Amino acid sequence: MKAGIVGLPNVGKSTLFNCLSNAKAQSANFPFCTIEPNIGVVNVPDPRLEKLAKLVNPEKIIPATVEIVDIAGLVKGASKGEGLGNQFLANIRETDAIIHVLRCFNDDNIIHVEGSVDPFRDKETIDLELQLKDLEVVEKKLEKVTRITRTGNKEAVKEKDMLEKLKSSLEAANNVRSIKFNLNDREEYIKPLQLITDKPVLYVCNVDEQSAKDGNAYVKQVRAAIKEEQSDLLVLAVSIEADINELDSFEERRLFLNDLGLQEPGASKLIRSAYELLNQQTYFTAGKKEVRAWTIPIGFFAPQAAGVIHSDFKNGFIRAEVISYNDYDKFGSEIKVKEAGKMRIEGKDYVVQDGDVMHFRFNL
């Protein structure tokens, strides 16, 4: 699963990417510093994994991960190929979710591609380019389906209605994710189009150090702009995150954060938010060889979760032995959980919950 970082040039995308991953993307004060997308596999911070590891004392600890893609800055006209726009938009299409970085700070030493700081305008610029690209896809599909409707195909007639609704909404500058469709229609007609503005989005307001804790007027502007979108917003001082990233010891980082009135690096919050944005959750396996966090989509049944480990686990699934994380933490070991009668035996219809500690029984 991939989350792509997007935004105008020079808003802090590559600096943010460097804070999130060990890969060092080029970062400089001029547009199009990034051309080819940089990709980093990032560990998802999870205190539950650390606690389980302390209780079990395994040989290995393996965290959940999410893939972050640093995509080059978009500009006006990107949907028509301006600024290598077609290439960059294709990179966004390959991601599963979008992290949209908006500049929410003043600094005369850092060039803004539009000449002034205005996150509302910047958001509209990016939105418009993504909407225009989606409109292009919808119009091509509509042209094809319209030809089929002339044969009297009833299914094509319904699809044509859906596409026309999409087209008029995009022409009215609406993102696809905000358009009301019933679940079946969205799955059947909208999802296969892989439209960019249908992807879930997290807005990241890149602020100065003074605004890292409480935000500023620019952040309020963005909150108002996304009120109807049902999207999340995160306030982050990317330059501060870069400074934290350079500190070697945990203690130095802790003291630095304390001075800023922060509990943890914003980058950690962002990684977790990206993970949730991708509709993912975690279950654990815990044994002496390893304690491991496994990533599954929310709503997975036990056999599907088992299949993430190995297809044999899914195909030969018999049952799952399940301990909630809270019970494992409370009683301190698998044996004590069993003694307390808190281990559950679950079958094929069990929907895995975030934080479950699981052991699968299977037979081939």
Side-chain angles (χ1 to χ4, degrees), residues 248-265:
D248 294 324
S249 74
F250 172 81
E251 184 60 21
E252 284 179 312
R253 294 185 182 196
R254 187 184 65 79
L255 290 171
F256 191 58
L257 288 167
N258 285 346
D259 287 343
L260 295 171
L262 302 174
Q263 298 296 315
E264 64 174 340

Side-chain angles (χ1 to χ4, degrees), residues 134-181:
D134 280 351
L135 185 59
E136 184 182 307
V137 172
V138 170
E139 286 175 337
K140 285 180 181 177
K141 182 69 173 178
L142 182 57
E143 186 180 328
K144 182 180 177 181
V145 171
T146 300
R147 287 197 298 268
I148 299 171
T149 60
R150 294 178 187 134
T151 68
N153 185 306
K154 291 182 179 178
E155 190 59 36
V157 171
K158 183 173 182 182
E159 185 172 7
K160 181 172 179 285
D161 289 342
M162 291 293 113
L163 291 168
E164 286 175 341
K165 182 180 179 181
L166 261 180
K167 182 174 182 291
S168 53
S169 292
L170 285 165
E171 286 173 339
N174 294 312
N175 292 317
V176 175
R177 74 181 75 88
S178 65
I179 304 171
K180 304 295 183 187
F181 291 101

Side-chain angles (χ1 to χ4, degrees), residues 208-224:
D208 53 30
E209 180 179 337
Q210 290 71 32
S211 308
K213 187 177 179 183
D214 301 316
N216 55 27
Y218 291 133
V219 174
K220 289 179 182 176
Q221 190 181 33
V222 177
R223 284 194 197 280

Side-chain angles (χ1 to χ4, degrees), residues 27-64:
S27 177
N29 187 22
F30 58 88
F32 306 117
C33 180
T34 304
I35 295 179
E36 291 300 322
N38 297 292
I39 300 174
V41 178
V42 182
N43 293 340
V44 179
D46 195 332
R48 299 173 302 179
L49 182 69
E50 297 169 16
K51 186 63 184 287
L52 284 171
K54 286 179 181 177
L55 294 173
V56 178
N57 193 26
E59 294 173 18
K60 288 193 296 183
I61 305 167
I62 304 176

Side-chain angles (χ1 to χ4, degrees), residues 1-5 14 17-18 20-26 34-42 66-72 91 94-95:
M1 301 291 286
K2 294 180 184 177
I5 302 176
S14 293
F17 175 82
N18 288 336
L20 299 176
S21 73
N22 291 324
K24 291 294 181 183
Q26 189 182 5
T34 304
I35 295 179
E36 291 300 322
N38 297 292
I39 300 174
V41 178
V42 182
V66 62
E67 202 165 280
I68 303 291
V69 186
D70 176 26
I71 295 165
N91 293 334
E94 292 172 4
T95 65

